Amino acid sequence: TPAGVKEGGSLFIMKRSLKVKAVEANLPEKIDVDITNLKVSQYMIVREITGDKDYKIMTHEGNVLVEVK
């Protein structure tokens, strides 16, 4: 649960799926992102997805994934 939600904000999921490019064996079933530190008026964009990736995210890097309002 994001910090901002614990403070009374609401979580808005803006994007539930991403376009990725990879060898079929490396296609992820899901991509987990850590949003626990998001406070009210903060958001996470595609470019902030981190970790070892055997795939390339094709969705525009500026797209908002989630937002706390």
Side-chain angles (χ1 to χ4, degrees):
T1 303
V5 172
K6 291 178 181 177
E7 296 168 358
S10 297
L11 178 67
F12 293 88
I13 300 171
M14 311 300 279
K15 199 144 210 45
R16 292 186 180 272
S17 63
L18 300 171
K19 289 184 181 182
V20 298
K21 182 177 182 179
V23 175
E24 187 175 352
N26 294 337
L27 282 174
E29 186 174 321
K30 65 179 182 172
I31 299 172
D32 293 320
V33 295
D34 182 7
I35 59 171
T36 55
N37 292 323
L38 288 182
K39 297 181 179 170
V40 174
S41 299
Q42 291 185 325
Y43 54 88
M44 176 179 249
I45 58 175
V46 171
R47 143 178 8 136
E48 296 173 321
I49 296 174
T50 59
D52 295 330
K53 295 183 264 190
D54 293 330
Y55 54 89
K56 180 176 180 180
I57 297 174
M58 303 302 289
T59 303
H60 188 274
E61 65 180 19
N63 282 8
V64 176
L65 299 171
V66 297
E67 183 175 4
V68 178
K69 291 184 180 182

